[in-house]
């Protein structure tokens, strides 16, 4: 849906949380005006979206392979720091707001890789950089550029996904928002669980799930609210070759039904703008640019493995989820300092929010820009996803 179309909008319950203790509307409006990003608070439109249609994805990382120096966008970096040996790079001194088209292509290539390129092993950035996840500091210009820029930025990397249930800034449905404060939460949370750690790859139930994703916090609690990331490439490599060979022959159903039902129950804003879908993806997928193989199941959206008995599927998925949960040696933790922008490749990583700040009553207001990529490519060439 174009942002120029007229929308029927339900005011976000988030605005209610901005009321003062005496509940006066005037105080609420004043508080809203004082918040720097009040124009980006979530609303929940009642629009109905048609089913998504397939499209041909052109990967920007593939374009960067033809550049004379695919890493020139890092030339002005003042610091490039390893977060962990296997995942995550923190960058200082690069202004994302000013990157041109070629630099954005190079960024996409840098994020999608998860192992060093040995042909560049003697250069500084080839020694220290690890891919899959990149954390850019001091990005206030990016945050302040506003939703028109956010949309233009994300469109460079693929067709922007419009989430069927989440809140978004008024007239910008392509910007997915997560929001929580003292009285309201529009996150997808499992309140009856003993943990808030819930690994997933965003909207993996779509036929063409996301690739390069951008996320940033407009407001963050004083402490807490971090995000965990894990390398699904490294997670796969820790398994035995014989077991991986078996996994490559399998495909699984990913479903958006539970997420939609959660909203229909009155939570998360209470809207479902597109009917939920289920799609079949390989259990092990291959990255179209790097050729790397990655485990592609997640606890939030993967429901069953086709071709196996119910108990067999549950047992195998349970093992894989447990493997992902416990893989601390292939995980990285992002601490959301002010003006941090994070990019990751949903095809080779999974992530989980950490909801540990509820007692502080502080606001956590995040925005996600979510370009879709190709339909997952099976690591096993003979696997027929349509059968």
């Amino acid at each position: 849906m174009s942002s120029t179309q007229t929308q029927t909008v339900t005011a976000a319950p988030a605005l209610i949380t901005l009321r003062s203790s005496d509940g006066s509307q005037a105080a609420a409006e004043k508080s809203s005006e004082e918040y720097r990003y009040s124009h980006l608070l979530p609303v929940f439109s009642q629009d109905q979206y048609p089913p998504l249609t397939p499209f041909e994805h052109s990967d920007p990382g593939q374009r960067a392979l033809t550049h004379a120096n695919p890493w020139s966008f890092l030339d002005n970096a003042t610091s490039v720091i390893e977060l962990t040996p296997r995942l995550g790079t923190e960058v200082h001194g690069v202004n994302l707001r000013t990157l041109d088209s070629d630099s954005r292509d190079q960024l996409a290539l840098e994020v999608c890789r998860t192992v060093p390129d040995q042909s560049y092993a003697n250069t500084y950035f080839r020694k220290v950089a690890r891919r899959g996840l990149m954390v850019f500091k001091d990005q206030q210009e990016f945050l302040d550029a506003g939703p028109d820029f956010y949309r233009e930025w994300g469109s460079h990397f693929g067709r922007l996904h419009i989430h069927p249930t989440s809140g978004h800034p008024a007239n910008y449905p392509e910007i997915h928002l997560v929001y929580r404060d003292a009285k309201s939460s529009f996150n997808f949370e499992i309140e009856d669980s003993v943990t808030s750690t819930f690994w997933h790859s965003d909207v993996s139930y779509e036929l063409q799930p996301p690739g390069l994703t951008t996320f940033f916090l407009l407001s963050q609690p004083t402490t807490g609210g971090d995000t965990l990331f894990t390398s699904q490439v490294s997670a796969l490599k820790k398994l035995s070759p014989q077991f991986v060979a078996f996994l490559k022959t399998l495909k699984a159903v990913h479903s958006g039904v539970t997420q939609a039902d959660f909203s229909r129950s009155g939570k998360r804003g209470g809207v479902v703008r597109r009917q939920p879908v289920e799609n079949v993806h390989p259990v092990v997928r291959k990255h179209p640019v790097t050729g790397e193989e990655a485990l592609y199941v997640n606890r939030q959206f993967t429901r069953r493995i086709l071709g196996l008995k119910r108990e067999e599927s549950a047992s195998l998925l349970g093992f894989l989820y447990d493997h992902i949960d416990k893989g601390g040696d292939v995980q990285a933790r992002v601490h959301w300092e002010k003006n941090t922008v994070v990019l990751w490749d949903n095809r080779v990583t999974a992530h989980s929010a950490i909801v540990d700040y509820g007692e502080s009553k502080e606001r956590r207001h995040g925005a996600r820009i979510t370009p879709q990529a190709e339909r997952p490519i099976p690591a096993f060439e003979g696997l027929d996803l349509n059968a």
Side-chain angles (χ1 to χ4, degrees):
M1 185 188 68
S2 169
S3 64
T4 60
Q5 289 180 284
T6 301
Q7 296 189 64
T8 302
V9 176
T10 300
L15 297 180
I16 297 174
T17 70
L18 299 174
R19 293 184 184 275
S20 65
S21 58
D22 64 4
S24 69
Q25 181 63 37
E29 292 173 353
K30 181 177 186 296
S31 179
S32 178
E33 290 171 0
E34 291 173 351
Y35 176 42
R36 183 186 188 97
Y37 300 108
S38 60
H39 62 295
L40 297 175
L41 286 168
V43 300
F44 293 86
S45 66
Q46 301 296 322
D47 299 277
Q48 293 296 302
Y49 303 148
L52 293 176
T53 56
F55 71 101
E56 188 70 26
H57 175 64
S58 175
D59 199 290
Q62 192 72 49
R63 296 194 295 265
L65 290 173
T66 65
H67 296 183
N69 177 7
W71 299 278
S72 62
F73 82 103
L74 287 173
D75 286 349
N76 295 324
T78 58
S79 176
V80 180
I81 304 168
E82 292 186 20
L83 292 180
T84 76
R86 291 185 174 89
L87 177 69
T89 306
E90 180 177 297
V91 179
H92 296 252
V94 173
N95 187 345
L96 295 177
R97 176 70 176 84
T98 61
L99 292 187
D100 61 15
S101 179
D102 283 352
S103 295
R104 294 182 188 185
D105 288 351
Q106 294 166 15
L107 172 59
L109 177 62
E110 188 75 357
V111 174
C112 76
R113 292 179 180 270
T114 60
V115 295
D117 187 326
Q118 295 303 317
S119 64
Y120 288 84
N122 293 324
T123 70
Y124 173 72
F125 290 121
R126 289 303 88 209
K127 288 180 180 178
V128 302
R130 294 293 185 269
R131 279 120 297 273
L133 165 70
M134 297 195 75
V135 181
F136 290 86
K137 298 294 187 175
D138 308 314
Q139 300 296 321
Q140 184 170 337
E141 285 189 38
F142 187 102
L143 269 63
D144 289 348
D148 285 312
F149 170 75
Y150 303 160
R151 192 165 53 189
E152 183 273 329
W153 166 269
S155 295
H156 181 86
F157 304 106
R159 184 178 75 180
L160 293 185
H161 182 260
I162 297 178
H163 201 282
T165 68
S166 69
H168 57 76
N171 300 315
Y172 292 93
E174 302 91 347
I175 311 302
H176 166 88
L177 297 177
V178 295
Y179 189 93
R180 184 187 179 105
D181 63 18
K183 297 182 179 178
S184 299
S185 174
F186 304 124
N187 301 335
F188 184 74
E189 297 167 9
I190 306 299
E191 297 176 352
D192 60 352
S193 175
V194 298
T195 178
S196 64
T197 305
F198 209 57
W199 292 101
H200 63 283
S201 178
D202 290 326
V203 296
S204 66
Y205 49 76
E206 300 290 11
L207 181 66
Q208 294 179 247
L212 187 71
T213 298
T214 305
F215 185 78
F216 48 91
L217 292 187
L218 299 158
S219 179
Q220 61 278 327
T222 305
T223 184
D226 295 350
T227 303
L228 293 174
F229 291 86
T230 190
S231 170
Q232 296 286 65
V233 173
S234 295
L236 182 70
K237 288 179 178 178
K238 292 178 74 67
L239 302 173
S240 68
Q242 295 91 336
F243 188 47
V244 171
F246 171 59
L247 293 178
K248 288 182 182 181
T249 68
L250 303 177
K251 52 191 177 183
V253 175
H254 294 238
S255 175
V257 173
T258 300
Q259 187 180 74
D261 288 346
F262 186 83
S263 288
R264 288 191 176 111
S265 71
K267 301 175 182 178
R268 197 187 169 95
V271 298
V272 178
R273 306 184 196 93
R274 186 188 307 115
Q275 291 303 306
V277 296
E278 294 185 336
N279 279 293
V280 175
H281 299 315
V283 169
V284 181
R285 69 182 295 176
K286 181 172 69 174
H287 197 285
V289 179
T290 68
E292 287 187 309
E293 297 175 355
L295 194 61
Y296 197 64
V297 296
N298 68 87
R299 193 182 294 275
Q300 186 165 359
F301 298 122
T302 309
R303 291 294 169 263
R304 64 186 182 280
I305 296 177
L306 296 180
L308 300 185
K309 298 291 181 65
R310 182 178 68 251
E311 295 87 353
E312 295 168 342
S313 172
S315 179
L316 181 53
L317 286 175
F319 169 81
L320 294 175
Y321 297 154
D322 191 54
H323 175 56
I324 294 167
D325 291 347
K326 294 180 178 179
D329 51 349
V330 298
Q331 296 173 7
R333 186 174 186 132
V334 171
H335 175 59
W336 292 101
E337 295 177 336
K338 187 177 181 181
N339 300 324
T340 298
V341 175
V342 172
L343 294 98
W344 70 90
D345 192 329
N346 265 287
R347 295 169 291 192
V348 295
T349 66
H351 60 279
S352 175
I354 302 298
V355 188
D356 58 355
Y357 55 92
E359 293 182 1
S360 73
K361 310 300 182 184
E362 293 179 281
R363 173 168 31 215
R364 187 178 187 271
H365 180 191
R368 190 181 80 204
I369 310 166
T370 317
Q372 293 175 255
E374 74 287 343
R375 186 179 187 183
I377 302 168
F380 177 58
E381 293 184 4
L383 188 65
D384 184 358
L385 299 179
N386 296 313

